[in-house]
Amino acid sequence: MENTVLAWLMDSDPSLRWQVLRDLIGAPAETVAAERARVATEGIGARLLALQDDDGSWGGAAWSRDWDSTMHILTLLRELGLDPASREARRAVSLVRERVNWRGWDADGTWRGWEYEGNPFFAGEVEPCINGQVAASGAYFGQDVRRLVDRLLGEQLPDGGWNCEAANGSLRSSFNTTICVLEALLEYELAFGSRAEVTKARLVGQAYLLERRLFRRLSTGEAIERDRKGGADWTRFAFPTWWHYDVLRGLDYLRKASVAPDERMAEAIELVASKRDDDGRWPLERQYPGSMAVELNEGEGQASRWVTLRALRVLDWYSAVH
């Protein structure tokens, strides 16, 4: 079955194939690099790059409520693994850096605030969930996001995580916001090396997830079935996840951060393993509504190569020490 699943995964887009080669097959580095190089010129990656407007943006905005804005496309290109050193990536990101600014007005005409009006894209705006996504992509693509990272460090809450509602008085962290910031801090360290204050904040933040077994309330131990803001079920897996948390996303972060697996992850790992179907694949359980620039999956309820890749590499990581 395993070989059949790997063959199914490899019968796909370069953006997925190179990660299968690296994370599941353990192919030679030169083979992985050659496949990764194709992301910029073939398939989904090339199609996304071709959609960039002359003003440097995607979808005419730094951010919008759909999934086709500049922030969302850069997030997706990062997750597809577009090589930051490629000519195509450097050109696209330089256009964003030089031409895309934040606006207080949403694309739908809603006024969101003046504080960040006119900010360059990689300077970010005010919400830590959005700034986390901007900083993650900025760091991945080699941009100077230190000031944005420093802002995020200053917004960490006493319980260890982050919450976009802190500005409105919330003292409790949000899984959704926390995972966005954690990914940003990790990308920053991977790109630019460790900084003591960044590492400390990241370790405290990931402890927030682990103390809650990745989906349970610290106070009662009960499973958190739905988040209050978006209504998403954290035990149903999506890709892309955008700003939404789910258990698989949390585990994949821990894997990438090289966290040593322990019993606090065991229940979440069992949940992932339980969703594997008789063919050895995982379904796309949630597709968030909104306009996509390019579709990545066959549809909600169908076997998903992206969810399967992420699930398999998380299980491999965990089983390596169990």
Side-chain angles (χ1 to χ4, degrees):
M1 180 188 297
E2 193 69 29
N3 288 337
T4 301
V5 173
L6 288 175
W8 174 68
L9 290 172
M10 289 295 291
D11 182 22
S12 60
D13 190 79
S15 59
L16 194 139
R17 284 199 300 266
W18 85 266
Q19 297 184 60
V20 173
L21 288 167
R22 180 193 63 182
D23 298 333
L24 302 181
I25 295 175
E30 58 270 22
T31 302
V32 174
E35 190 63 36
R36 186 184 189 188
R38 298 173 64 182
V39 176
T41 59
E42 301 178 25
I44 297 168
R47 290 167 63 192
L48 289 172
L49 288 168
L51 292 174
Q52 187 176 27
D53 294 329
D54 291 340
D55 65 3
S57 75
W58 281 268
W63 176 91
S64 72
R65 297 185 187 278
D66 279 311
W67 314 123
D68 56 359
S69 73
T70 304
M71 188 199 78
H72 295 108
I73 300 305
L74 287 180
T75 294
L76 196 50
L77 289 171
R78 172 176 64 85
E79 294 187 314
L80 298 180
L82 176 67
D83 186 350
S86 67
R87 176 179 58 83
E88 293 83 359
R90 287 186 282 110
R91 178 185 181 278
V93 173
S94 68
L95 287 175
V96 173
R97 183 182 64 247
E98 295 163 8
R99 301 182 183 180
V100 179
N101 296 317
W102 291 89
R103 298 196 298 266
W105 294 99
D106 276 351
D108 65 2
T110 302
W111 174 250
R112 297 183 66 233
W114 54 264
E115 180 179 337
Y116 54 86
E117 176 76 23
N119 271 8
F121 179 80
F122 291 111
E125 48 122 90
V126 294
E127 295 190 36
C129 56
I130 291 177
N131 284 341
Q133 293 170 85
V134 172
S137 296
Y140 177 83
F141 286 112
Q143 302 304 295
D144 181 4
V145 291
R146 178 165 182 148
R147 292 181 64 182
L148 190 52
V149 166
D150 287 345
R151 174 175 181 141
L152 293 169
L153 297 183
E155 294 171 335
Q156 192 167 24
L157 294 172
D159 63 6
W162 288 263
N163 192 340
C164 286
E165 295 301 320
N168 298 322
S170 177
L171 299 176
R172 292 195 297 177
S173 295
S174 154
F175 277 64
N176 294 319
T177 304
T178 298
I179 194 64
C180 291
V181 177
L182 284 175
E183 290 172 351
L185 300 184
L186 180 58
E187 291 290 4
Y188 183 83
E189 291 194 285
L190 291 173
F192 302 112
S194 297
R195 278 174 54 197
E197 59 270 37
V198 176
T199 302
K200 179 181 178 181
R202 187 170 60 78
L203 293 178
V204 171
Q206 68 192 35
Y208 169 88
L209 298 181
L210 289 167
E211 288 166 358
R212 291 157 177 79
R213 304 301 196 264
L214 282 90
F215 68 111
R216 294 193 172 275
R217 298 189 190 281
L218 186 62
S219 56
T220 65
E222 67 177 319
I224 304 172
E225 295 184 355
R226 294 188 180 276
D227 75 73
R228 287 170 294 187
K229 185 174 181 180
D233 184 338
W234 294 344
T235 65
R236 296 175 64 201
F237 303 152
F239 187 83
T241 52
W242 307 119
W243 58 268
H244 299 276
Y245 176 85
D246 65 41
V247 170
L248 182 56
R249 182 177 181 180
L251 286 168
D252 207 25
Y253 159 80
L254 294 171
R255 175 200 64 84
K256 187 172 180 178
S258 300
V259 177
D262 63 39
E263 61 86 23
R264 294 173 295 178
M265 311 169 194
E267 188 179 12
I269 288 289
E270 290 174 5
L271 175 67
V272 173
S274 73
K275 293 176 178 288
R276 191 172 192 171
D277 67 20
D278 292 340
D279 294 323
R281 308 172 186 186
W282 277 258
L284 181 74
E285 296 179 292
R286 184 68 188 265
Q287 187 163 325
Y288 295 106
S291 297
M292 288 277 290
V294 175
E295 291 294 340
L296 272 69
N297 288 283
E298 289 76 13
E300 195 170 288
Q302 302 300 308
S304 165
R305 288 178 172 85
W306 284 103
V307 176
T308 299
L309 163 67
R310 289 156 70 89
L312 285 174
R313 68 188 180 192
V314 158
L315 295 179
D316 283 355
W317 156 75
Y318 187 82
S319 65
V321 295
H322 284 81

PDB file of all heavy atoms in Angstrom, residues 17-27 32 36 255 313:
ATOM      1  N   ARG A  17       5.620  17.145  -5.308  1.00  0.00           N
ATOM      2  CA  ARG A  17       6.584  16.065  -5.553  1.00  0.00           C
ATOM      3  C   ARG A  17       7.905  16.291  -4.843  1.00  0.00           C
ATOM      4  O   ARG A  17       8.485  15.361  -4.276  1.00  0.00           O
ATOM      5  CB  ARG A  17       6.831  15.901  -7.061  1.00  0.00           C
ATOM      6  CG  ARG A  17       5.710  15.200  -7.802  1.00  0.00           C
ATOM      7  CD  ARG A  17       6.200  14.671  -9.135  1.00  0.00           C
ATOM      8  NE  ARG A  17       6.700  15.711 -10.009  1.00  0.00           N
ATOM      9  CZ  ARG A  17       5.968  16.331 -10.932  1.00  0.00           C
ATOM     10  NH1 ARG A  17       4.685  16.040 -11.073  1.00  0.00           N
ATOM     11  NH2 ARG A  17       6.501  17.253 -11.714  1.00  0.00           N
ATOM     12  N   TRP A  18       8.413  17.533  -4.846  1.00  0.00           N
ATOM     13  CA  TRP A  18       9.729  17.741  -4.245  1.00  0.00           C
ATOM     14  C   TRP A  18       9.682  17.511  -2.736  1.00  0.00           C
ATOM     15  O   TRP A  18      10.654  17.028  -2.141  1.00  0.00           O
ATOM     16  CB  TRP A  18      10.279  19.118  -4.593  1.00  0.00           C
ATOM     17  CG  TRP A  18       9.861  20.268  -3.733  1.00  0.00           C
ATOM     18  CD1 TRP A  18       8.830  21.128  -3.951  1.00  0.00           C
ATOM     19  CD2 TRP A  18      10.491  20.706  -2.518  1.00  0.00           C
ATOM     20  NE1 TRP A  18       8.758  22.066  -2.948  1.00  0.00           N
ATOM     21  CE2 TRP A  18       9.772  21.841  -2.052  1.00  0.00           C
ATOM     22  CE3 TRP A  18      11.579  20.269  -1.778  1.00  0.00           C
ATOM     23  CZ2 TRP A  18      10.102  22.515  -0.886  1.00  0.00           C
ATOM     24  CZ3 TRP A  18      11.908  20.948  -0.610  1.00  0.00           C
ATOM     25  CH2 TRP A  18      11.180  22.054  -0.177  1.00  0.00           C
ATOM     26  N   GLN A  19       8.523  17.811  -2.119  1.00  0.00           N
ATOM     27  CA  GLN A  19       8.399  17.575  -0.688  1.00  0.00           C
ATOM     28  C   GLN A  19       8.248  16.087  -0.370  1.00  0.00           C
ATOM     29  O   GLN A  19       8.728  15.603   0.664  1.00  0.00           O
ATOM     30  CB  GLN A  19       7.236  18.390  -0.131  1.00  0.00           C
ATOM     31  CG  GLN A  19       7.464  19.892  -0.279  1.00  0.00           C
ATOM     32  CD  GLN A  19       6.379  20.734   0.349  1.00  0.00           C
ATOM     33  OE1 GLN A  19       6.138  20.646   1.552  1.00  0.00           O
ATOM     34  NE2 GLN A  19       5.724  21.563  -0.469  1.00  0.00           N
ATOM     35  N   VAL A  20       7.590  15.359  -1.247  1.00  0.00           N
ATOM     36  CA  VAL A  20       7.518  13.903  -1.092  1.00  0.00           C
ATOM     37  C   VAL A  20       8.916  13.304  -1.185  1.00  0.00           C
ATOM     38  O   VAL A  20       9.306  12.449  -0.378  1.00  0.00           O
ATOM     39  CB  VAL A  20       6.583  13.291  -2.153  1.00  0.00           C
ATOM     40  CG1 VAL A  20       6.637  11.763  -2.109  1.00  0.00           C
ATOM     41  CG2 VAL A  20       5.155  13.779  -1.960  1.00  0.00           C
ATOM     42  N   LEU A  21       9.677  13.759  -2.165  1.00  0.00           N
ATOM     43  CA  LEU A  21      11.052  13.263  -2.333  1.00  0.00           C
ATOM     44  C   LEU A  21      11.893  13.549  -1.097  1.00  0.00           C
ATOM     45  O   LEU A  21      12.668  12.696  -0.638  1.00  0.00           O
ATOM     46  CB  LEU A  21      11.685  13.903  -3.563  1.00  0.00           C
ATOM     47  CG  LEU A  21      11.162  13.437  -4.915  1.00  0.00           C
ATOM     48  CD1 LEU A  21      11.633  14.370  -6.025  1.00  0.00           C
ATOM     49  CD2 LEU A  21      11.626  12.002  -5.205  1.00  0.00           C
ATOM     50  N   ARG A  22      11.759  14.728  -0.552  1.00  0.00           N
ATOM     51  CA  ARG A  22      12.564  15.118   0.618  1.00  0.00           C
ATOM     52  C   ARG A  22      12.077  14.451   1.894  1.00  0.00           C
ATOM     53  O   ARG A  22      12.879  13.895   2.661  1.00  0.00           O
ATOM     54  CB  ARG A  22      12.530  16.637   0.788  1.00  0.00           C
ATOM     55  CG  ARG A  22      13.341  17.157   1.981  1.00  0.00           C
ATOM     56  CD  ARG A  22      13.019  18.613   2.282  1.00  0.00           C
ATOM     57  NE  ARG A  22      11.612  18.784   2.685  1.00  0.00           N
ATOM     58  CZ  ARG A  22      11.063  19.964   2.957  1.00  0.00           C
ATOM     59  NH1 ARG A  22      11.774  21.073   2.851  1.00  0.00           N
ATOM     60  NH2 ARG A  22       9.794  20.048   3.317  1.00  0.00           N
ATOM     61  N   ASP A  23      10.763  14.514   2.149  1.00  0.00           N
ATOM     62  CA  ASP A  23      10.243  14.164   3.470  1.00  0.00           C
ATOM     63  C   ASP A  23       9.841  12.704   3.609  1.00  0.00           C
ATOM     64  O   ASP A  23       9.842  12.179   4.732  1.00  0.00           O
ATOM     65  CB  ASP A  23       9.030  15.040   3.794  1.00  0.00           C
ATOM     66  CG  ASP A  23       9.373  16.518   3.856  1.00  0.00           C
ATOM     67  OD1 ASP A  23      10.537  16.841   4.148  1.00  0.00           O
ATOM     68  OD2 ASP A  23       8.478  17.344   3.601  1.00  0.00           O
ATOM     69  N   LEU A  24       9.464  12.046   2.528  1.00  0.00           N
ATOM     70  CA  LEU A  24       8.973  10.674   2.630  1.00  0.00           C
ATOM     71  C   LEU A  24       9.895   9.651   1.994  1.00  0.00           C
ATOM     72  O   LEU A  24      10.001   8.524   2.478  1.00  0.00           O
ATOM     73  CB  LEU A  24       7.577  10.567   1.994  1.00  0.00           C
ATOM     74  CG  LEU A  24       6.494  11.479   2.572  1.00  0.00           C
ATOM     75  CD1 LEU A  24       5.180  11.245   1.857  1.00  0.00           C
ATOM     76  CD2 LEU A  24       6.340  11.264   4.077  1.00  0.00           C
ATOM     77  N   ILE A  25      10.555  10.031   0.910  1.00  0.00           N
ATOM     78  CA  ILE A  25      11.392   9.082   0.178  1.00  0.00           C
ATOM     79  C   ILE A  25      12.851   9.192   0.587  1.00  0.00           C
ATOM     80  O   ILE A  25      13.595   8.209   0.547  1.00  0.00           O
ATOM     81  CB  ILE A  25      11.217   9.290  -1.347  1.00  0.00           C
ATOM     82  CG1 ILE A  25       9.768   8.932  -1.743  1.00  0.00           C
ATOM     83  CG2 ILE A  25      12.220   8.472  -2.143  1.00  0.00           C
ATOM     84  CD1 ILE A  25       9.442   9.200  -3.199  1.00  0.00           C
ATOM     85  N   GLY A  26      13.261  10.377   1.006  1.00  0.00           N
ATOM     86  CA  GLY A  26      14.662  10.568   1.360  1.00  0.00           C
ATOM     87  C   GLY A  26      15.572  10.540   0.155  1.00  0.00           C
ATOM     88  O   GLY A  26      16.672   9.972   0.188  1.00  0.00           O
ATOM     89  N   ALA A  27      15.129  11.172  -0.925  1.00  0.00           N
ATOM     90  CA  ALA A  27      15.900  11.178  -2.174  1.00  0.00           C
ATOM     91  C   ALA A  27      17.161  12.018  -2.003  1.00  0.00           C
ATOM     92  O   ALA A  27      17.253  12.873  -1.117  1.00  0.00           O
ATOM     93  CB  ALA A  27      15.037  11.748  -3.296  1.00  0.00           C
ATOM     94  N   VAL A  32      16.078  16.266  -5.145  1.00  0.00           N
ATOM     95  CA  VAL A  32      15.089  17.137  -4.508  1.00  0.00           C
ATOM     96  C   VAL A  32      15.189  18.555  -5.072  1.00  0.00           C
ATOM     97  O   VAL A  32      14.188  19.175  -5.427  1.00  0.00           O
ATOM     98  CB  VAL A  32      15.284  17.155  -2.977  1.00  0.00           C
ATOM     99  CG1 VAL A  32      14.357  18.172  -2.330  1.00  0.00           C
ATOM    100  CG2 VAL A  32      15.058  15.765  -2.393  1.00  0.00           C
ATOM    101  N   ARG A  36      12.394  20.723  -7.044  1.00  0.00           N
ATOM    102  CA  ARG A  36      11.942  21.980  -6.447  1.00  0.00           C
ATOM    103  C   ARG A  36      12.092  23.142  -7.424  1.00  0.00           C
ATOM    104  O   ARG A  36      11.243  24.048  -7.455  1.00  0.00           O
ATOM    105  CB  ARG A  36      12.752  22.265  -5.181  1.00  0.00           C
ATOM    106  CG  ARG A  36      12.273  23.463  -4.409  1.00  0.00           C
ATOM    107  CD  ARG A  36      13.172  23.761  -3.226  1.00  0.00           C
ATOM    108  NE  ARG A  36      12.622  24.780  -2.357  1.00  0.00           N
ATOM    109  CZ  ARG A  36      13.268  25.339  -1.345  1.00  0.00           C
ATOM    110  NH1 ARG A  36      14.499  24.955  -1.050  1.00  0.00           N
ATOM    111  NH2 ARG A  36      12.692  26.268  -0.608  1.00  0.00           N
ATOM    112  N   ARG A 255       6.920  19.326  13.997  1.00  0.00           N
ATOM    113  CA  ARG A 255       7.865  18.522  13.210  1.00  0.00           C
ATOM    114  C   ARG A 255       8.922  19.411  12.581  1.00  0.00           C
ATOM    115  O   ARG A 255      10.129  19.143  12.678  1.00  0.00           O
ATOM    116  CB  ARG A 255       7.108  17.749  12.123  1.00  0.00           C
ATOM    117  CG  ARG A 255       8.003  16.980  11.159  1.00  0.00           C
ATOM    118  CD  ARG A 255       7.284  16.663   9.863  1.00  0.00           C
ATOM    119  NE  ARG A 255       6.926  17.869   9.126  1.00  0.00           N
ATOM    120  CZ  ARG A 255       7.762  18.514   8.311  1.00  0.00           C
ATOM    121  NH1 ARG A 255       9.002  18.085   8.119  1.00  0.00           N
ATOM    122  NH2 ARG A 255       7.353  19.611   7.691  1.00  0.00           N
ATOM    123  N   ARG A 313       4.220  12.673   6.835  1.00  0.00           N
ATOM    124  CA  ARG A 313       5.498  13.126   7.363  1.00  0.00           C
ATOM    125  C   ARG A 313       5.423  13.394   8.865  1.00  0.00           C
ATOM    126  O   ARG A 313       6.416  13.215   9.578  1.00  0.00           O
ATOM    127  CB  ARG A 313       6.007  14.342   6.598  1.00  0.00           C
ATOM    128  CG  ARG A 313       5.260  15.636   6.738  1.00  0.00           C
ATOM    129  CD  ARG A 313       5.807  16.650   5.742  1.00  0.00           C
ATOM    130  NE  ARG A 313       5.121  17.932   5.829  1.00  0.00           N
ATOM    131  CZ  ARG A 313       5.267  18.895   4.911  1.00  0.00           C
ATOM    132  NH1 ARG A 313       6.055  18.708   3.867  1.00  0.00           N
ATOM    133  NH2 ARG A 313       4.634  20.040   5.046  1.00  0.00           N
TER     134      ARG A 313
END
